[in-house]
């Protein structure tokens, strides 16, 4: 019975479990019941974020829900409830609550997600500003701290310093990891009562949001010393030669490290330390007119006072006059010093030098017989009541006459190759520079050059007729005038052109005879160097000669068979250009008497051979007759084959000799024919 009840209970439990079916329709997140993609909430207001699960069930049964709410991906709230809603309460909304919210619901092994909602908590809290001190000295610093306790970084802080009747000065400080920032402000000269405040900014989705300004903090500034007082005695308007005294003073709170500096323009004239008074005096000159400055410094604080001083002229600058500024050596020079409309000055005349002034005479007049060494700058000085003034310098130039110039060719030799440039140099060994050199070609001025001792001229237009007429002259500021060089004659070298080679006889030359080689040029200046070469595996120089002519003849004695070959000649002159002729070919052949001896020898040999052949023929004929008579009576035995071989051999040798004789005769005729037409006189 119990077993039956247990089975019935298990079956009912299974049927009950199979009947619990549910599904998530959607999961929503809202702010104060507003389901929107973006919600704006006032800073300080109450804010509720609600997560709602819309679930469908097949029956009415209780279901546990795990609610989780996230802000910017981080968990901020979680709860378990059998209700379909969960509420995340924020009693006071702050800007730090701004962000993207979303929620998840987990139930019965199933999970539902909401979409996100952006919550913007509008407005930032008021920052708190503190200063490390409320009273400072000029040159010190004030350290400020601005804090936004309810805000979260990243933040930007703005500090403002405002002094009376001035626009505020602002400093911006970004902070990435903290909600406060510290900064230092320098207290400047003239700052009195300073007001400091700050505010913060944060970046939101719509841009930047600013906090209200902090409380204003007042800081009182005291002077470490007063602005310096600068005076002059007897006054700020004095005359040259008067003594003028400057006094600069101040009042300090602490004398340690106080410094007073007195200067004119950028030049420091005097200074004192740890004192409240500075004095400076001098004898006034016109150069002392201008603006003076007294500066008091202590630490980073600096205060200045300026004063203008005017110094009246006691007497004008002197003037130096010269009897002449350009004169010949040995002439008399007079220098005079004077002051227009003023008497009673002490004068001195000096010569300027790189090593210092050279006093010539304590007088207003100086006379001298000059040399070239007296060239230079001169001034005069005037002194009244200790005030010394100097005139403008006067330049004196003393000239020595130029010597007669010499004109020469830069290369040394007075000649030039046709078509090549000619460079000349004109030189004068004496004369005070600057010297002007003028070059002439004939009577035509080609160039003028001003230099110290020499000048050069380049003539790039050289013709066949340019063989003389160059000269130059030199002059400077000496009264002696122009000096002219001697006329320079220049030889124009014409380069070699068109070398040619010929021979007599031409082409073929008999052994033992002489041959004349003629080498000539179409153009070229004398003397000309002629060279004769025979062309082999390498060039062989056979003969060379220098001629004052456009041609030369070289007689070669007793030609030999080994002299057969190719010949050419080469010509050159001082233009240093080698001109080579076209080659000619010379064949050395046997002389006529040599050919006759050879022909006689051949004919004698042929006659002897004919006699031998005739004897052989007669003997053979006689044997043939005897054989005929024997054959009529009896049959003769057969002759050995050796007789036929020798017969044939003799026949071949005869034919060969005949062919040789014919060929030699033919060669002889051809040689005679070629020797006639190869000679230059054959025409």
């Amino acid at each position: 019975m119990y077993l039956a009840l247990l089975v019935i209970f298990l079956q009912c439990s299974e049927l009950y479990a199979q009947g619990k079916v549910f599904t998530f329709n959607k999961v929503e997140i809202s702010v104060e019941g507003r389901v929107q993609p973006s919600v704006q909430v006032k800073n300080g207001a109450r804010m509720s974020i609600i997560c709602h699960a819309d679930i469908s069930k097949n029956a009415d049964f209780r279901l546990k829900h795990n609610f989780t709410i996230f802000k910017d991906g981080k968990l901020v709230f979680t709860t378990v409830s059998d209700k379909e809603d969960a509420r995340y309460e924020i009693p006071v909304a702050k800007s730090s609550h701004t962000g993207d919210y979303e929620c998840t619901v987990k139930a019965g092994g199933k999970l539902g997600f909401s979409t996100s909602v952006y919550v913007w908590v509008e407005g930032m809290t008021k920052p708190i500003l503190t200063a490390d001190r409320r009273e400072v000295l000029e040159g010190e610093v004030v350290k400020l701290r601005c804090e936004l306790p309810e805000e979260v970084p990243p933040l930007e802080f703005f500090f403002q310093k405002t002094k009376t009747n001035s626009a505020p000065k602002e400093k911006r400080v970004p902070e990435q990891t903290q909600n406060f920032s510290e900064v230092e402000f320098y207290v400047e000269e003239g700052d009195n009562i300073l007001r400091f405040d700050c505010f913060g900014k944060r970046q939101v989705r719509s841009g930047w949001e600013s906090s209200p300004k902090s409380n204003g903090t007042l800081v009182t500034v005291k002077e470490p010393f007063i602005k310096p007082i600068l005076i002059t005695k007897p006054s700020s308007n004095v005359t040259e030669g008067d003594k003028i005294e400057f006094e600069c003073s101040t009042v300090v709170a602490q004398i340690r490290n106080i410094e007073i500096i007195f200067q004119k323009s950028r030049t420091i004239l005097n200074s004192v330390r740890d004192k409240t008074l500075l004095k400076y005096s001098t004898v006034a000159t016109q150069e002392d007119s201008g603006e003076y400055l007294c500066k008091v410094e202590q630490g980073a604080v600096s205060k200045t006072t300026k004063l203008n001083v005017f110094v009246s002229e006691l007497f004008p600058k002197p003037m130096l006059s010269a009897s002449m500024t350009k004169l010949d050596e040995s002439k008399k020079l007079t220098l005079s010093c004077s002051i227009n409309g003023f008497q009673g000055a002490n004068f001195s005349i000096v010569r300027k030098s790189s090593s210092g002034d050279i006093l010539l005479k304590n007088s207003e007049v100086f006379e001298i017989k000059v040399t070239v060494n007296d060239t230079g700058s001169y001034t005069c000085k005037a002194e009244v009541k200790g005030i010394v003034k100097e005139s403008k310098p006067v330049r004196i130039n003393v000239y020595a006459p130029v010597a007669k110039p010499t004109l020469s060719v830069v290369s040394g030799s007075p000649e030039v190759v046709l078509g090549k440039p000619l460079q000349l140099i004109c030189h004068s060994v004496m004369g005070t520079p600057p010297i002007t050199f003028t070059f002439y070609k004939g009577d035509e001025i080609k160039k003028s050059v001003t230099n110290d001792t020499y000048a050069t001229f380049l003539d790039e237009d050289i013709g066949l007729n340019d063989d003389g007429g160059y000269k130059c002259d030199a002059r400077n500021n000496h009264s002696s005038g122009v000096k002219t060089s001697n006329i320079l004659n220049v030889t124009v070298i014409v380069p070699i052109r068109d070398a040619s080679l010929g021979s007599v006889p031409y082409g073929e030359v008999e052994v033992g005879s002489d041959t004349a080689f003629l080498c000539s040029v179409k153009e070229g200046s004398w003397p000309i160097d002629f060279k004769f070469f025979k062309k082999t595996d390498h060039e062989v120089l056979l003969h060379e000669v220098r001629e004052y002519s456009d041609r030369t003849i070289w007689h070669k004695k007793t030609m030999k068979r080994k002299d057969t070959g190719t010949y050419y000649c080469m010509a050159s002159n001082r233009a240093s250009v080698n001109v080579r002729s076209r080659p000619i070919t010379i064949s050395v052949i046997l002389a006529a008497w040599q050919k006759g001896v050879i022909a006689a020898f051949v004919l004698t040999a042929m006659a002897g051979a004919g006699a031998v052949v005739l004897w052989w023929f007669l003997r053979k004929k006689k044997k043939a007759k005897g054989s005929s008579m024997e054959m009529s009576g009896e049959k003769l035995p057969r002759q050995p084959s050796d007789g036929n071989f020798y017969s044939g051999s003799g026949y071949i040798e005869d034919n060969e000799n005949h062919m040789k004789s014919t060929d030699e005769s033919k060669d002889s005729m051809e040689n005679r024919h070629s020797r006639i037409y190869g000679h230059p006189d054959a025409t």
Side-chain angles (χ1 to χ4, degrees), residues 268-285:
I268 295 177
L269 302 175
N270 195 12
S271 66
V272 295
R273 292 182 66 89
D274 298 333
K275 292 182 179 180
T276 59
L277 177 64
L278 175 146
K279 291 185 177 182
Y280 175 78
S281 61
T282 184
V283 176
T285 66

Side-chain angles (χ1 to χ4, degrees), residues 416-418 464 491-497 521 523-529 547-550 572-575:
V416 62
V417 178
L418 181 66
L464 279 173
T491 302
V492 179
I493 306 299
V494 180
I496 301 296
R497 185 166 67 90
V521 297
E523 188 177 60
S525 296
W526 302 349
I528 301 175
D529 293 325
E547 297 282 1
Y548 285 85
S549 173
D550 60 355
S572 64
N573 61 4
R574 284 171 291 170

Side-chain angles (χ1 to χ4, degrees), residues 185-399:
F185 272 93
Y186 171 70
V187 180
E188 301 171 291
E189 177 190 355
D191 289 349
N192 190 359
I193 297 177
L194 300 177
R195 176 187 173 89
F196 295 96
D197 51 45
C198 71
F199 65 93
K201 283 187 177 183
R202 63 168 180 157
Q203 193 167 19
V204 295
R205 185 167 295 180
S206 59
W208 287 91
E209 187 175 32
S210 299
S211 74
K213 278 191 174 184
S214 69
N215 55 299
T217 300
L218 296 179
V219 176
T220 303
V221 180
K222 292 185 176 181
E223 287 185 300
F225 53 86
I226 66 171
K227 186 176 181 179
I229 300 170
L230 179 60
I231 62 172
T232 59
K233 296 179 181 178
S235 71
S236 59
N237 292 325
V238 294
T239 304
E240 286 182 315
D242 294 342
K243 184 178 179 180
I244 182 171
E245 185 174 339
F246 297 86
E247 288 186 0
C248 181
S249 61
T250 184
V251 177
V252 300
Q254 184 179 0
I255 199 168
R256 186 182 177 187
N257 295 328
I258 198 80
E259 184 176 18
I260 304 176
I261 300 172
F262 182 64
Q263 64 188 82
K264 181 177 185 290
S265 299
R266 299 176 61 88
T267 304
I268 295 177
L269 302 175
N270 195 12
S271 66
V272 295
R273 292 182 66 89
D274 298 333
K275 292 182 179 180
T276 59
L277 177 64
L278 175 146
K279 291 185 177 182
Y280 175 78
S281 61
T282 184
V283 176
T285 66
Q286 264 202 305
E287 287 73 19
D288 293 325
S289 292
E291 185 180 76
Y292 290 81
L293 181 144
C294 179
K295 181 187 292 184
V296 180
E297 296 179 342
Q298 188 178 48
V301 182
S302 174
K303 297 184 179 184
T304 60
T305 299
K306 297 179 180 179
L307 178 66
N308 283 310
V309 172
F310 178 75
V311 180
S312 302
E313 185 179 62
L314 177 62
F315 63 95
K317 285 185 177 182
M319 293 179 57
L320 179 66
S321 59
S323 56
M324 297 178 67
T325 57
K326 295 181 180 180
L327 65 163
D328 299 346
E329 61 180 353
S330 301
K331 295 289 185 180
K332 180 181 177 182
L333 171 66
T334 301
L335 298 175
S336 301
C337 189
S338 62
I339 299 175
N340 187 21
F342 188 87
Q343 301 292 329
N346 297 319
F347 295 100
S348 60
I349 298 177
V350 299
R351 179 179 175 185
K352 309 301 286 186
S353 170
S354 58
S355 58
D357 293 348
I358 301 173
L359 176 63
L360 300 178
K361 191 175 182 181
N362 285 321
S363 174
E364 57 186 308
V365 178
F366 175 70
E367 293 182 345
I368 186 175
K369 188 177 182 181
V370 296
T371 67
V372 291
N373 295 327
D374 293 320
T375 294
S377 293
Y378 294 79
T379 64
C380 77
K381 296 180 180 180
E383 183 267 330
V384 178
K385 295 174 60 175
I387 301 299
V388 178
K389 295 187 178 183
E390 189 172 9
S391 69
K392 291 182 178 180
V394 175
R395 177 73 183 178
I396 302 298
N397 292 298
V398 181
Y399 294 94

Side-chain angles (χ1 to χ4, degrees), residues 326-328 397 399-400 402 432-435 475-480:
K326 295 181 180 180
L327 65 163
D328 299 346
N397 292 298
Y399 294 94
V402 294
T432 304
I435 302 174
R475 70 180 184 278
N476 63 359
N477 288 315
H478 194 275
S479 60
S480 60

